[in-house]
Amino acid sequence: MAKALELNADSLTTAPPVPKAAKASTAHAEPKRTVSAPKKNREPLQVRWPAEDVKAAKLAAIQLDFPTLSDFMLACFHAYMKTTKKT
């Protein structure tokens, strides 16, 4: 059981130290990802695809070293638009 803390003017002005067990370790930090475009220029987009197409798109994005699936889809869109330009 925790010890009772005596309240006085000094204990109310200074914060007690945080125990080591309560501190988060920094060893398990997530690796930093590269940023491809500023977030302020991005708009959310939702699509409903069949599960096998979603899996194929995710695998292609990984194999082609795209940082995110969104970057891969955007590159595919731009490539499609270049090939289907109307004259």
Side-chain angles (χ1 to χ4, degrees):
M1 186 169 205
K3 293 181 182 179
L5 177 64
E6 182 181 333
L7 295 177
N8 57 30
D10 188 42
S11 66
L12 295 175
T13 57
T14 59
V18 178
K20 285 185 180 180
K23 294 181 182 177
S25 66
T26 58
H28 299 290
E30 297 244 349
K32 292 185 178 180
R33 294 183 177 201
T34 58
V35 178
S36 59
K39 288 187 178 183
K40 65 180 182 178
N41 293 340
R42 292 185 174 221
E43 289 286 330
L45 173 69
Q46 291 184 347
V47 294
R48 301 288 184 245
W49 287 359
E52 61 271 5
D53 291 339
V54 171
K55 185 175 181 179
K58 287 180 179 181
L59 286 173
I62 291 169
Q63 291 170 349
L64 296 172
D65 280 337
F66 280 91
T68 64
L69 182 60
S70 293
D71 292 331
F72 171 71
M73 290 175 55
L74 188 59
C76 291
F77 170 74
H78 287 299
Y80 173 78
M81 293 305 289
K82 283 182 182 178
T83 60
T84 59
K85 278 190 175 180
K86 295 180 180 178
T87 56

